[in-house]
Amino acid sequence: MIPGKPQGKARHRVRVAGSCAQLYQPRAGSTAQWERKAAQIMGWAWKAQAPLSGPVSVSVVAVHPRPQRLRKSQPGRVWCVVRPDLDNVIKCCLDALQNARVISDDKIVVRIQAEQFWAAEDEEPHTEINVCDIETTTTREENEQMDSGTVGSR
């Protein structure tokens, strides 16, 4: 679990100056800072094991600070549909996993499950990231059965 507000990956922008185009990333400091903090926490939890290099599944739950308008009206977590976009939060998480050397490269991620919520009343903002090595846990057929809900019902 990474404490603090979930961070989305900033999108690169292009600025034209005369006849030259310059590529830059706005607010890159906050993205890089979050990725460093997340990589440090995940690296500590990973305890210097070798990075995963086979197919992996990643689960991300982004929990944003609860807005004042929801304080009393809806208890518990509530779906969150604001910026940062969930796909950009996922990009930050995958980069942090790679920087922490938990995974060898983000291209090995073959399955992603992600959700984005407003925090419950007694909950602090955070990002939950779980990684599962698919090859060592289950076969492809077992994964398909789990997805369809037919495991163990032969």
Side-chain angles (χ1 to χ4, degrees):
M1 180 169 58
I2 313 303
K5 185 177 175 184
Q7 177 69 43
K9 188 79 166 180
R11 181 174 295 180
H12 287 88
R13 308 275 188 210
V14 176
R15 135 177 67 216
V16 178
S19 61
C20 298
Q22 183 180 21
L23 187 67
Y24 71 100
Q25 189 173 11
R27 299 175 301 157
S30 60
T31 298
Q33 184 179 8
W34 188 91
E35 285 178 7
R36 275 193 304 274
K37 178 176 103 174
Q40 182 180 22
I41 292 168
M42 290 186 287
W44 177 80
W46 192 245
K47 299 180 189 214
Q49 298 177 54
L52 298 171
S53 57
V56 298
S57 174
V58 175
S59 167
V60 175
V61 178
V63 180
H64 294 270
R66 189 175 185 88
Q68 193 67 35
R69 65 183 168 79
L70 293 176
R71 292 284 181 220
K72 302 285 184 208
S73 63
Q74 295 175 309
R77 287 183 177 177
V78 179
W79 293 110
C80 177
V81 289
V82 298
R83 291 194 185 275
D85 296 348
L86 185 55
D87 63 322
N88 291 323
V89 173
I90 293 167
K91 290 174 193 173
C92 261
C93 292
L94 295 180
D95 287 348
L97 282 168
Q98 189 171 333
N99 293 341
R101 301 191 40 78
V102 173
I103 59 174
S104 59
D105 195 315
D106 58 7
K107 69 182 178 186
I108 69 169
V109 178
V110 297
R111 178 185 293 157
I112 297 173
Q113 180 178 349
E115 299 174 316
Q116 184 163 252
F117 297 100
W118 295 116
E121 288 182 275
D122 58 346
E123 186 176 30
E124 294 296 319
H126 63 277
T127 306
E128 301 168 15
I129 306 169
N130 292 299
V131 181
C132 182
D133 183 354
I134 291 177
E135 283 187 343
T136 60
T137 56
T138 58
T139 66
R140 186 171 154 251
E141 292 78 21
E142 289 170 332
N143 281 322
E144 289 171 355
Q145 288 176 348
M146 281 192 286
D147 288 343
S148 66
T150 59
V151 173
S153 61
R154 294 180 200 219

